[in-house]
Amino acid sequence: MPVRQLPEQVVNRIAAGEVVERPASVVKELVENAIDASASRVDIFTDGGGRRRIGIIDDGSGMTHGDLALAVDRHATSKLDDEDLLRIRTLGFRGEALPSIGAVAKLGITTRHASEPHAWSLSVEGGLKSQIMPAALSQGTRVEVSDLFYATPARLKFLKTDRTEAEAIREVVRRLAMARPDIAFTLAGEERAPVTWAAALPGAAGRLTRLGDILGHDFRSCAIEVRSEREGVVVEGFAAAPSLTRANALGQYLFVNGRPVRDKLILGAVRAAYSDYLPRDRHPVVALFVTLAPQEVDANVHPAKTEVRFRNAGLVRALIVHALKDGLAREGRRTAANTDGAALSAFRPSFAARPTNWDWRSSPAYPVRPSFEGAAATALAEAGQAAFDVGAPTADVRFEAQPFADLLDRPLGAARTQIHETYIVSQTRDGLIVVDQHAAHERIVYEKLKASLAKNGVQRQILLIPEIVELDEATVEKLLARAEELASFGLAIESFGPGAVAVRETPSLLGKANAAGLLRDLAEHMAEWDEALPLERRLMHVAATMACHGSVRAGRRLKPEEMNALLREMEDTPNSGQCNHGRPTYVELKLSDIEKLFGRR
């Protein structure tokens, strides 16, 4: 078959396949155009999951007659001042969205610029433009897209149900709304009730308000503000406390210069930052905003602009890890259990229906008749009250001298008793605290082990006979390039010819380690995340296991001085709010909340 030039309509439909994957892609491109037009409000309406109709209305700057005529031509854009693609300051810049949408759907645009006496409208069907006609519109732009993929019917077979497509649209709008809290968004459609996110105030408070509106009250109540800056790169945002987790990484959002992107960089960095707090099968909820010079990031690596490439990816990753770790350490004792009503709800009294044959005279509170004339009746039946005698607490300090005032003023208060040989109850000035002694001591021992490893280094064991591991040459090069980093964790490797690595030393903490399996895990992880996290995590896992077995076990009776000493160590230990498995180490109940339980407030 000879080589031939494809017709323009076919070219446009091929290009549309890259940009317009589904209805959510159309919404993303059109809302980004509205944001680039300096809109302060964007309204989105969909019907049939976006398949039948998509409507976008904004109050932005609009377009003139001449701009509208060019806007639906391929590679025509108003967002590049020059031809430098390394200084992109807008969300859109390729000039492909409108012509791609017009090539596969029926597109109608009505717009009015402040310099024009009235609005203008233009329609495109299957890539064919109509004449520009006068129209009525007070301000901004209105874009209508109907019968999506009518020009390419084969694409319709690959769309999901209307509800699924509507949910994809909702997720796109949510991400754009998180990126721009200063813009009001309204999303309406047949599939769901309309939702409106009002414009928020500038600054961190406004950003948290918008994130709370989208991610929910749970995120807002346990969000930790994070920030880190170096060499002109700023990482800021909010991360949820380790007590709020998800079963997948879909709750992790990254924005680069206001652009929502999906990047493995954030997944690896967040995983590293939370490695001390969460089990491997749980994922935190974070929203991070990276701001840097436009020339330091390449946004032109994906047709839909959902991926970016950093000039210095290592710096960005290090800043993300530092910002998250710093914020988590600062709020180390903060958990959802002592910041929301989860613990209080467990104390709510639930009254069971009284049986129909209930005899009030069988109640332990039934007064006993006097045994002789004129004798004072006893207040309560002594025999009945014996039912409430459950024995003394495991350890009790109530009858000791009053605790020093400074203990009551400490964050975790003064120990009062131990119950079930597992939980320590302490008193503060304004409430009480229940501590899980095993979980708390586990964190203390683990942090001491980590500090010892950092101070004295990882102890190594020299192999009597070096183990030779055969891998492909590209993998060997990656491992050898990180040899110094691996050596800091106690793994000494060196080249052993093409396609092979000699392992001479392994971390003694790992005992009799399978060097071949460890190196393959490292190679696979570095190929995906560009980091040596498996080795570090394996060492920390061993340290966590040692901490778990070496800590105070549940069921051990503690003396009053031991309980207070444990509380003081918790106050001095970073990250003491959670154990190594992500569970809270204590629950705090404020006196005001307890009074509410008993109707005193």
Side-chain angles (χ1 to χ4, degrees):
M1 183 181 294
V3 177
R4 65 188 181 92
Q5 187 74 39
L6 293 175
E8 184 178 355
Q9 287 186 341
V10 177
V11 172
N12 289 344
R13 290 175 185 175
I14 293 174
E18 298 177 343
V19 179
V20 184
E21 299 177 6
R22 58 195 308 186
S25 307
V26 175
V27 173
K28 172 184 174 296
E29 298 292 342
L30 296 180
V31 174
E32 286 182 351
N33 282 346
I35 294 174
D36 287 339
S38 303
S40 62
R41 181 175 186 84
V42 182
D43 298 330
I44 304 104
F45 177 81
T46 64
D47 182 21
R51 191 185 341 234
R52 288 193 291 269
R53 179 170 174 259
I54 296 172
I56 311 288
I57 303 174
D58 68 72
D59 60 354
S61 57
M63 291 181 284
T64 63
H65 180 281
D67 288 343
L68 179 59
L70 283 174
V72 293
D73 289 342
R74 182 160 301 282
H75 302 307
T77 181
S78 62
K79 301 171 185 179
L80 288 178
D81 296 333
D82 50 28
E83 298 177 0
D84 188 359
L85 290 178
L86 296 180
R87 297 180 183 273
I88 297 171
R89 302 181 183 276
T90 55
L91 297 178
F93 58 88
R94 300 169 70 98
E96 289 185 319
L98 292 178
S100 295
I101 296 169
V104 296
K106 298 175 181 178
L107 171 67
I109 305 174
T110 304
T111 182
R112 181 177 183 180
H113 192 270
S115 63
E116 295 283 350
H118 53 75
W120 299 98
S121 67
L122 171 68
S123 62
V124 183
E125 292 190 15
L128 301 176
K129 291 194 301 182
S130 70
Q131 293 291 324
I132 299 179
M133 304 290 290
L137 187 68
S138 60
Q139 182 187 7
T141 302
R142 182 176 65 241
V143 182
E144 298 276 348
V145 180
S146 58
D147 294 336
L148 186 62
F149 296 132
Y150 90 99
T152 54
R155 297 286 298 277
L156 288 171
K157 292 188 282 186
F158 296 96
L159 294 182
K160 308 289 193 230
T161 63
D162 289 356
R163 181 169 289 276
T164 302
E165 295 297 341
E167 191 58 35
I169 291 173
R170 185 182 179 88
E171 181 62 22
V172 164
V173 177
R174 278 159 48 99
R175 288 178 177 270
L176 290 167
M178 282 190 275
R180 293 298 300 270
D182 58 317
I183 300 177
F185 290 85
T186 297
L187 175 61
E190 287 188 343
E191 294 77 17
R192 282 183 177 271
V195 59
T196 297
W197 296 299
L201 295 173
R207 177 174 286 167
L208 180 58
T209 300
R210 173 61 61 84
L211 292 175
D213 291 342
I214 295 174
L215 299 179
H217 172 73
D218 289 345
F219 179 83
R220 183 186 303 177
S221 62
C222 67
I224 299 170
E225 186 175 1
V226 298
R227 179 181 170 84
S228 186
E229 180 177 0
R230 192 169 70 208
E231 299 178 21
V233 181
V234 179
V235 174
E236 56 189 347
F238 291 90
S243 48
L244 179 64
T245 60
R246 297 282 187 269
N248 52 46
L250 295 179
Q252 298 171 13
Y253 301 91
L254 177 65
F255 305 88
V256 179
N257 288 345
R259 181 191 308 278
V261 297
R262 299 181 184 273
D263 200 307
K264 290 181 179 179
L265 180 75
I266 183 178
L267 299 181
V270 171
R271 183 181 297 186
Y274 276 85
S275 59
D276 274 354
Y277 301 87
L278 299 180
R280 295 187 63 178
D281 59 340
R282 302 302 297 178
H283 301 267
V285 181
V286 300
L288 298 177
F289 301 81
V290 180
T291 306
L292 69 170
Q295 59 268 26
E296 296 297 321
V297 58
D298 186 3
N300 190 29
V301 297
H302 191 276
K305 307 180 291 296
T306 57
E307 298 177 8
V308 295
R309 185 172 296 136
F310 296 99
R311 186 185 295 267
N312 189 348
L315 173 62
V316 176
R317 181 189 179 278
L319 282 176
I320 290 174
V321 174
H322 177 266
L324 290 173
K325 282 191 171 183
D326 184 61
L328 291 170
R330 187 178 66 247
E331 303 283 348
R333 287 192 295 271
R334 184 172 172 185
T335 65
N338 56 37
T339 54
D340 63 14
L344 287 173
S345 61
F347 284 91
R348 299 289 180 192
S350 58
F351 295 99
R354 179 171 291 179
T356 56
N357 59 350
W358 168 253
D359 184 3
W360 62 272
R361 287 168 295 190
S362 64
S363 169
Y366 175 60
V368 179
R369 290 172 179 258
S371 58
F372 57 89
E373 192 73 23
T378 54
L380 295 171
E382 294 298 332
Q385 288 300 302
F388 294 99
D389 185 10
V390 295
T394 306
D396 199 342
V397 295
R398 289 177 301 168
F399 303 109
E400 293 192 357
Q402 227 15 53
F404 293 111
D406 61 334
L407 288 183
L408 292 178
D409 293 325
R410 298 296 293 266
L412 295 181
R416 284 302 199 180
T417 188
Q418 181 192 29
I419 55 177
H420 295 292
E421 300 179 350
T422 303
Y423 303 102
I424 298 170
V425 179
S426 67
Q427 177 186 348
T428 61
R429 288 284 183 193
D430 59 350
L432 64 88
I433 293 174
V434 183
V435 178
D436 183 337
Q437 66 187 38
H438 173 65
H441 199 247
E442 187 178 347
R443 169 59 75 177
I444 292 171
V445 174
Y446 178 60
E447 292 296 334
K448 287 181 178 178
L449 275 173
K450 280 175 55 183
S452 176
L453 288 175
K455 181 179 179 181
N456 304 320
V458 179
Q459 300 298 317
R460 309 180 183 188
Q461 54 186 4
I462 301 176
L463 301 183
L464 185 62
I465 301 175
E467 188 167 346
I468 309 303
V469 181
E470 294 186 357
L471 302 163
D472 61 86
E473 294 188 23
T475 302
V476 170
E477 290 179 4
K478 287 181 181 178
L479 288 171
L480 293 177
R482 309 293 283 270
E484 290 187 9
E485 182 181 352
L486 296 177
S488 67
F489 292 118
L491 183 66
I493 62 173
E494 60 184 38
S495 177
F496 195 78
V501 173
V503 181
R504 297 196 174 275
E505 299 175 5
T506 60
S508 57
L509 270 178
L510 299 184
K512 188 178 180 180
N514 180 1
L518 177 60
L519 279 183
R520 289 190 177 93
D521 285 349
L522 284 168
E524 291 174 4
H525 195 90
M526 282 193 282
E528 186 174 4
W529 306 108
D530 191 31
E531 60 185 18
L533 187 59
L535 180 57
E536 182 181 5
R537 174 174 289 160
R538 191 172 291 194
L539 289 173
M540 291 300 103
H541 176 71
V542 173
T545 305
M546 293 170 61
C548 186
H549 290 285
S551 56
V552 174
R553 309 299 295 180
R556 175 184 165 187
R557 297 190 178 189
L558 299 180
K559 298 178 181 179
E561 54 269 21
E562 290 178 315
M563 290 188 282
N564 276 311
L566 182 62
L567 296 179
R568 302 291 81 79
E569 278 196 277
M570 286 180 65
E571 292 168 352
D572 297 333
T573 301
N575 314 320
S576 62
Q578 297 84 26
C579 74
N580 312 338
H581 311 295
R583 296 190 298 268
T585 57
Y586 74 92
V587 173
E588 182 177 8
L589 295 174
K590 294 295 185 183
L591 185 59
S592 58
D593 294 327
I594 298 174
E595 289 174 344
K596 289 178 183 178
L597 288 175
F598 290 96
R600 290 178 174 269
R601 286 202 173 198

